[in-house]
Amino acid sequence: MSRFSQPDPELGHRISRRGMLGVAAGATAAALLGAAAPANAATGNATAATGNATGGATPPAASGTKGRGRPVLPPGRLGIQLYSLRDKVSTLGFGPVFAELERYGYDEVEFAGYTQGSAGPITLAQLKRLARNHGLNPIGSHVGYYSDDPNAYTFAQNLTKVLDDAQALGLKHIGTASGPFRYGSTVDAWKRAAEDFNTYGAAARARGMKFYQHNHSEEFSFATDNPKVRLYDILLKETDPDLVHLEMDIYWAYVGQFRFSKRPDGTPAPFEPLNYVLRHPDRYPLFHVKDGESDPSNPYGYNMTDVGDGDIDYQRFISAVTRLRGHRMAHHWQAEHDNPAESFTFARRSSAHLHSLRERC
């Protein structure tokens, strides 16, 4: 069956991620494992690295500007979204996964659930200590936005519990990978969602944390009642910049560029994802570094790959952000692949590529 046969693969991705968002210690294994993630329409088979995925010397990256010069990646700012390693967490536990990430040169981790699945229970205190013992800074976490279940572990249903857990882990950022579609896709619907986000942001700020929203490509579509208005622009305008921050998933932003550079009536509406960041750099403390090979025959424009195997110019993107005055150390870069062919291989190769990039003279 074609990987493009799924009616809404991006929605499927969001649902599968939401199903993985576990509660803290004591949650059942199913909270982490959930259902198997469906194949993503924008996800191709990543090229597996040769050799042992969990050992051996890190091979040189296949592309990028290397050699002399200042590293593009700021020191201490490379993280990974643990959703990419959910198979390893559920079978091995956090300890062995963190040990591998330490070996690969990662500095930070972003959670997508706090349970270990079949690897057994773990408390938040143990999880925090385990990360720190491997030199990993827990930088953020993805939690669902809302649910029809009044007891769901989401911002809308259990804000206090969500923030309690984030605080116990020492997180500086707590956010959601859910789109602001709770009330629909009209201008007013997104204004209502922005009010929700402002509420969560105020509550997070009161605890010394930043609330953030992580995009997929649909955020760059247009309001159904005003096709001249891009939904993402409503989110930026209607949320308080002191309370609501954004984690740009760079891959999905470029998918959005491919899909939504024309309005529904066909008139041009081009945009450049990087320009959003350059205009509002303080709003983007976190990024997802995800790569894809350009494929115009794919409705999403790209096939997802390991970082460094695709066509997104991360030398250009990261350099443009970190060269802004006062911003070299102001952002955190989280590698991610939604469905890697081999997750340790993905993590190792992505780190090697990003560490190899150097500023152009």
Side-chain angles (χ1 to χ4, degrees), residues 65-109:
T65 301
K66 310 182 201 63
R68 298 178 180 178
R70 185 176 73 165
V72 167
L73 191 71
R77 288 295 186 268
L78 178 61
I80 192 166
Q81 166 51 253
L82 291 171
Y83 180 76
S84 304
L85 296 159
R86 60 196 181 278
D87 61 323
K88 298 296 193 293
V89 172
S90 67
T91 56
L92 303 176
F94 283 110
V97 170
F98 288 169
E100 288 300 305
L101 296 178
E102 181 181 19
R103 292 180 63 223
Y104 302 159
Y106 284 92
D107 310 297
E108 302 174 333
V109 289

Side-chain angles (χ1 to χ4, degrees), residues 5-6 10 33 44 52 78 80 138 156 160 164 189 192 213 233 235 241 278 297 303 338 340:
S5 61
Q6 184 177 325
E10 186 174 346
L33 296 175
N52 188 340
L78 178 61
I80 192 166
T160 298
D164 285 346
R192 289 181 65 189
Q213 194 267 342
D233 295 338
L235 182 66
L278 298 182
S297 68
N303 297 314
D338 293 352

Side-chain angles (χ1 to χ4, degrees), residues 1-6 9 39-45 295 298 302-303:
M1 179 181 293
S2 168
R3 67 178 182 272
F4 306 128
S5 61
Q6 184 177 325
N40 200 302
T43 306
N45 291 326
D295 180 4
N298 180 339
Y302 293 87
N303 297 314

Side-chain angles (χ1 to χ4, degrees), residues 18-256:
R18 193 176 305 130
M20 183 196 167
L21 295 170
V23 296
T28 63
L32 176 67
L33 296 175
N40 200 302
T43 306
N45 291 326
T47 302
T50 58
N52 188 340
T54 61
T58 299
S63 61
T65 301
K66 310 182 201 63
R68 298 178 180 178
R70 185 176 73 165
V72 167
L73 191 71
R77 288 295 186 268
L78 178 61
I80 192 166
Q81 166 51 253
L82 291 171
Y83 180 76
S84 304
L85 296 159
R86 60 196 181 278
D87 61 323
K88 298 296 193 293
V89 172
S90 67
T91 56
L92 303 176
F94 283 110
V97 170
F98 288 169
E100 288 300 305
L101 296 178
E102 181 181 19
R103 292 180 63 223
Y104 302 159
Y106 284 92
D107 310 297
E108 302 174 333
V109 289
E110 182 183 35
F111 290 102
Y114 310 136
T115 61
Q116 299 192 105
S118 59
I122 188 170
T123 68
L124 292 179
Q126 290 171 331
L127 184 55
K128 179 181 179 181
R129 184 166 56 252
L130 193 60
R132 296 294 171 84
N133 287 346
H134 288 288
L136 297 169
N137 179 32
I139 193 64
S141 181
H142 285 187
V143 176
Y145 168 18
Y146 67 95
S147 172
D148 293 332
D149 178 1
N151 298 313
Y153 189 76
T154 65
F155 282 95
Q157 277 71 32
N158 272 293
L159 177 60
T160 298
K161 175 62 174 170
V162 167
L163 297 181
D164 285 346
D165 291 347
Q167 202 163 22
L169 282 166
L171 301 182
K172 296 299 183 183
H173 308 84
I174 181 69
T176 184
S178 304
F181 294 95
R182 181 181 186 181
Y183 307 108
S185 300
T186 65
V187 172
D188 285 342
W190 272 55
K191 287 182 177 180
R192 289 181 65 189
E195 291 176 6
D196 288 347
F197 285 7
N198 285 333
T199 298
Y200 310 149
R205 185 180 183 184
R207 307 247 199 146
M209 293 180 282
K210 292 180 179 180
F211 170 80
Y212 64 95
Q213 194 267 342
H214 163 286
N215 65 275
H216 292 85
S217 70
E218 289 290 342
E219 283 89 335
F220 297 96
S221 63
F222 301 93
T224 52
D225 60 336
N226 189 345
K228 293 183 179 181
V229 176
R230 195 180 300 279
L231 291 173
Y232 197 71
D233 295 338
I234 301 173
L235 182 66
L236 277 167
K237 181 179 179 181
E238 298 295 332
T239 51
D240 186 330
D242 292 327
L243 302 178
V244 177
H245 299 83
L246 300 161
E247 177 181 63
M248 179 175 281
D249 186 305
I250 300 167
Y251 169 87
W252 284 117
Y254 279 103
V255 171

